[in-house]
Amino acid sequence: MRVLSLFIAASLDGYIAKPDDDLSFLKLVEKEGEDYGYAAFTSTIDTIILGRRTYDWVLEKIGASYYDNGERNVYVITGTERPDVGKTKFYTGDLTELVRQLKTESGKNIYCDGGAEIINELLKNDLIDEFVISVIPVLVGNGTRLFKDNRPEQQLELVNTKTFDTGLTQLHYKRKR
Amino acid sequence: MRVLSLFIAASLDGYIAKPDDDLSFLKLVEKEGEDYGYAAFTSTIDTIILGRRTYDWVLEKIGASYYDNGERNVYVITGTERPDVGKTKFYTGDLTELVRQLKTESGKNIYCDGGAEIINELLKNDLIDEFVISVIPVLVGNGTRLFKDNRPEQQLELVNTKTFDTGLTQLHYKRKR
């Protein structure tokens, strides 16, 4: 069955953004030629799920091709219908149903790129199979937490850890079944 | 100058206890003969600072000698005066002043064993020099967070990481100066 993975960076104190969607702390680990395994990871997936706010943020800051390279299916979870753009669909239905359906289909793996609301909704329904969390060596002190309160307990299995000379530590877990 | 260190276990989602001070998830990584470096760490310290609730919890569940082995100075931070017990003092003054004073004195290093209120008060005043965080391979979903909101930003330097076959990953950072 297809695996649904997170691949995300967080500060040691557990934030994926500072207030006002400020991601400037990621610059602490920017290094020419070092993508922390992102290209290798995305070569294993053909489907991306993300929230509408994250999508619009990336659309403005980076451009739509960051997600939709013409080959992947992109599902933007939203309450408001929008017409498809290329292979990007705006999905207004039930997130859990979408993921359960996608997992039964054949294909490469599925990547959830956030935001926190989507991730926590998936966690509440035990739908995330693998976690690749890049821990940035900083306490940002405030912002958007990767893990919100009030989720069910879930045991994990450590797959591996990788340490980089920038101080980034990548923790890779899979869900225990 | 003496270093003030945290040496603490947290779930991957950043909790040091489940609701009602439930630490049962630590059992997931219990292994005969494996102390995850605790004895080596405590051999470098001669002073312990901790909160009154944490102290009373340990007093009831484990016994006072867990902290006070007759050689260390133990400071229990509390709002209510109590007479000294052996080398354990109940400190009702200002936590920041105590730590600044202890750091100027000669001696081995200082260990803060929690709870979360004490840790976050120290973080707000930039008084923690080293962090050894043992990440337990579980999402507990709810409870007492190691890092509370509304702290200042603080850059860290990765010292090292250690991985254990129980799936525990130990992350060691020091404060950037």
Side-chain angles (χ1 to χ4, degrees):
Chain A
M1 198 149 101
R2 301 164 90 187
V3 161
L4 172 58
S5 295
L6 280 190
F7 186 99
I8 199 160
S11 60
L12 178 63
D13 49 354
Y15 299 92
I16 56 174
K18 288 176 66 172
D20 303 319
D21 300 326
D22 177 1
L23 299 178
S24 55
F25 67 96
L26 299 179
K27 293 205 178 89
L28 293 170
V29 297
E30 266 181 16
K31 191 185 163 188
E32 177 122 13
E34 180 57 81
D35 77 345
Y36 299 107
Y38 182 75
F41 169 76
T42 53
S43 73
T44 68
I45 62 109
D46 65 6
T47 301
I48 299 177
I49 294 175
L50 73 159
R52 198 273 309 161
R53 279 190 64 230
T54 303
Y55 178 79
D56 281 343
W57 190 93
V58 169
L59 202 62
E60 187 194 321
K61 306 273 182 181
I62 307 176
S65 64
Y66 181 75
Y67 291 118
D68 186 351
N69 63 0
E71 291 174 2
R72 302 166 183 153
N73 295 305
V74 179
Y75 292 90
V76 179
I77 311 304
T78 176
T80 312
E81 297 198 356
R82 285 197 216 175
D84 295 0
V85 180
K87 297 195 76 162
T88 301
K89 288 186 165 62
F90 297 86
Y91 180 82
T92 56
D94 183 74
L95 175 61
T96 299
E97 271 176 37
L98 171 67
V99 171
R100 292 208 172 118
Q101 175 59 35
L102 289 173
K103 284 191 179 187
T104 64
E105 295 173 6
S106 64
K108 294 166 89 174
N109 289 332
I110 306 164
Y111 167 31
C112 174
D113 193 33
E117 279 81 14
I118 302 294
I119 293 169
N120 282 272
E121 178 71 19
L122 293 171
L123 286 169
K124 279 188 179 169
N125 293 289
D126 196 14
L127 289 169
I128 301 183
D129 304 295
E130 301 219 6
F131 303 78
V132 181
I133 300 177
S134 293
V135 181
I136 313 297
V138 64
L139 304 175
V140 298
N142 219 356
T144 305
R145 287 191 183 273
L146 171 54
F147 296 106
K148 296 180 187 290
D149 287 334
N150 300 315
R151 287 164 292 100
E153 181 162 332
Q154 189 175 313
Q155 288 188 35
L156 303 173
E157 192 178 321
L158 183 66
V159 177
N160 63 47
T161 67
K162 287 179 191 154
T163 301
F164 297 84
D165 59 8
T166 53
L168 183 148
T169 297
Q170 199 168 70
L171 307 176
H172 184 172
Y173 297 89
K174 61 183 178 183
R175 190 164 70 91
K176 260 200 178 164
R177 285 164 195 284
Chain B
M1 198 152 100
R2 301 164 91 188
V3 160
L4 172 59
S5 296
L6 281 189
F7 187 99
I8 199 160
S11 61
L12 179 64
D13 49 354
Y15 299 93
I16 56 176
K18 288 177 65 172
D20 303 318
D21 301 326
D22 177 0
L23 299 178
S24 56
F25 66 96
L26 300 179
K27 294 205 179 90
L28 293 170
V29 296
E30 266 181 16
K31 190 184 163 187
E32 177 121 13
E34 180 57 80
D35 78 345
Y36 300 107
Y38 182 76
F41 170 75
T42 53
S43 74
T44 69
I45 63 110
D46 65 5
T47 301
I48 299 177
I49 294 175
L50 74 158
R52 199 271 309 159
R53 279 191 63 229
T54 303
Y55 178 79
D56 281 345
W57 190 94
V58 169
L59 202 63
E60 187 194 321
K61 306 275 181 178
I62 308 176
S65 64
Y66 181 75
Y67 291 118
D68 187 351
N69 63 359
E71 291 173 3
R72 301 167 183 155
N73 295 306
V74 179
Y75 293 89
V76 179
I77 312 303
T78 174
T80 311
E81 298 199 354
R82 285 197 215 174
D84 295 359
V85 180
K87 298 196 76 167
T88 301
K89 288 185 166 58
F90 297 85
Y91 180 83
T92 57
D94 183 74
L95 175 60
T96 299
E97 269 175 39
L98 172 65
V99 172
R100 291 206 172 118
Q101 175 60 34
L102 289 173
K103 284 190 180 187
T104 65
E105 295 173 5
S106 63
K108 294 166 89 175
N109 289 332
I110 307 164
Y111 166 30
C112 174
D113 194 33
E117 279 81 14
I118 302 294
I119 293 169
N120 282 271
E121 179 70 17
L122 292 171
L123 286 169
K124 280 189 179 170
N125 293 287
D126 196 14
L127 290 168
I128 302 183
D129 304 295
E130 300 218 7
F131 303 79
V132 181
I133 301 176
S134 294
V135 181
I136 313 297
V138 64
L139 304 175
V140 300
N142 220 354
T144 305
R145 288 192 182 271
L146 172 53
F147 295 106
K148 296 181 187 290
D149 288 334
N150 300 315
R151 286 164 294 99
E153 180 163 333
Q154 188 174 315
Q155 289 188 33
L156 304 173
E157 192 179 321
L158 183 67
V159 177
N160 62 47
T161 67
K162 288 180 192 154
T163 301
F164 297 84
D165 60 8
T166 53
L168 183 147
T169 297
Q170 200 169 67
L171 307 176
H172 184 171
Y173 297 89
K174 61 183 177 184
R175 189 164 70 92
K176 261 200 178 162
R177 284 164 196 284

